[in-house]
Amino acid sequence: MREFMDKDFLLESETAKKLFHDYAENTPILDYHCHINPREIAEDRHFDNITQVWLGGDHYKWRLMRSFGVEEKYITGDASDYEKFCKWAECLGKAIGNPLFHWSHLELQRYFDYHGVLNKKTADEVWKLCNEKLAQPSMSARSLIKRSNVTLICTTDDPVDSLEWHKRIAEDDTFDVKVLPAWRPDKAMNIEKPDYLDYLDKLCEAAGMGEINSFASLKEALKKRMEFFASCGCNVSDHGLEYVMYYPASDDEIEAIFLKRLNRMMPTREEQLKFKTAFMLFLGREYHRLDWAMQLHFGCKRDNNTKMYELIGPDTGYDCINNDAPSAQMADFLNALCKTDELPRTILYSLNPNDNQSIGTIIGCFQDSSAVAKVQQGSAWWFNDHKIGMREQLISLANLGNLSGFVGMLTDSRSFLSYTRHEYFRRVLCNLIGYWVEGGGFPADMDTLSEIVRDISYYNAVRYFKFDI
């Protein structure tokens, strides 16, 4: 029987062990998509206890606790941090087969040197140990980033953001990890939202414009803000879409739809899709002009539990996979940019694993010599970033495209302890490659294999996003 989560955890062959320990394990981390608050990095936040750094804002854990029947007061409510931690420990102890069991114990091992098992019997022991460690200067936000061997972080930032915290970090020569903004303009696109007009007022002010009274002026405001983001080091965009739609319309029709919304009337569903298509085509062309990479996250149906949404708001664990993502429209959208030579480097992430093969075939239609794997399938995302989901995404990508050009893993997290997700991914990657090699499916050429593993772990992302590291 193997020891619980030992040094060879998830590594099932000698080739896998060698690839991980000799090449992947100590390769730096580039976290090109996360939801970390840059203010916490700028101020080098210290955490009072393990609940703050572990459970605050982590809807992955919240969902699991709810499935164990835990009262909401111990999840997002007014229970004490100690009580919340004890409830989490009780749930985790029985979370067999759930990736949170592995992620949580990797974090306990790597950051707190705890190699036991967290459950209801050990909750007090782990609470005290973690809090004693967190009291040390070496456990501040910046220290956690540095000890994780992270070289660059891209946060997720709205066009109206002042980016003041990014500026402060860039000006601080005591911290050498780059923290760059990533452009996330969803609020400017979501014309159907009740607060859309209020948001336009904020965008107008941020862009230093008198008013936004047309789609043309909206585009001008966005261009001004993109130039500002670029001046702060941004070269990555990100979008959260229902799906990648393609409903083309004339300029006059888009102006009429936008004017309708400005007059406080709600566009029809078809009009919304036409507006969003025009919005995304405009931004895609701007990304190409600015030489930014475009990330498209889609396939999520959000805020399904309206009762809980009204109580505690969005991003609290009530989202699900949406299986309505027409691949033909995604192909047509990419083609509309490609035919004018304005398709930027693009990464496609579907929350639905059933989309793996369709994405794999679509990306093959739009490759060219301007970049290795110019259009990519993104890493197994959100509900899929577990062992099975990662393995299936890697196999699908290898079957239909260039796995060796893949930009690898990201945390997509709000926690400073989530960098172990890169380790988890690298173990899965090395185990899969080891399986292929030991089964005779690929030569045991360590020069080539080590290059592939290190590139997927780190160097492909450096080159693909054109980061100056």
Side-chain angles (χ1 to χ4, degrees), residues 246 285 332 334-343 366:
Y246 188 69
R285 294 179 179 118
D332 289 344
L334 296 174
N335 184 57
L337 295 172
C338 182
K339 67 184 180 182
T340 57
D341 293 322
E342 293 175 294
L343 177 63
F366 299 101

Side-chain angles (χ1 to χ4, degrees), residues 18 25 42 69 100 111 118 123 148 166 194 271 311 333 337 361 365:
K18 182 172 180 61
E25 187 171 19
L100 284 167
Y111 297 108
L118 175 58
S148 302
H166 295 85
E271 288 172 334
L311 283 173
F333 170 77
L337 295 172
T361 58
C365 299

Side-chain angles (χ1 to χ4, degrees), residues 189 240-247 269 273 276 280 296-300 322 324-327 329-330:
M189 181 187 70
L241 305 172
E242 181 184 349
Y243 64 92
V244 183
M245 69 284 294
Y246 188 69
Y247 277 73
R269 172 66 172 168
L273 293 171
K276 291 181 178 183
M280 290 300 302
L296 305 179
H297 286 85
F298 59 94
C300 180
N322 189 344
D324 182 21
S327 59
Q329 288 190 43
M330 181 162 61

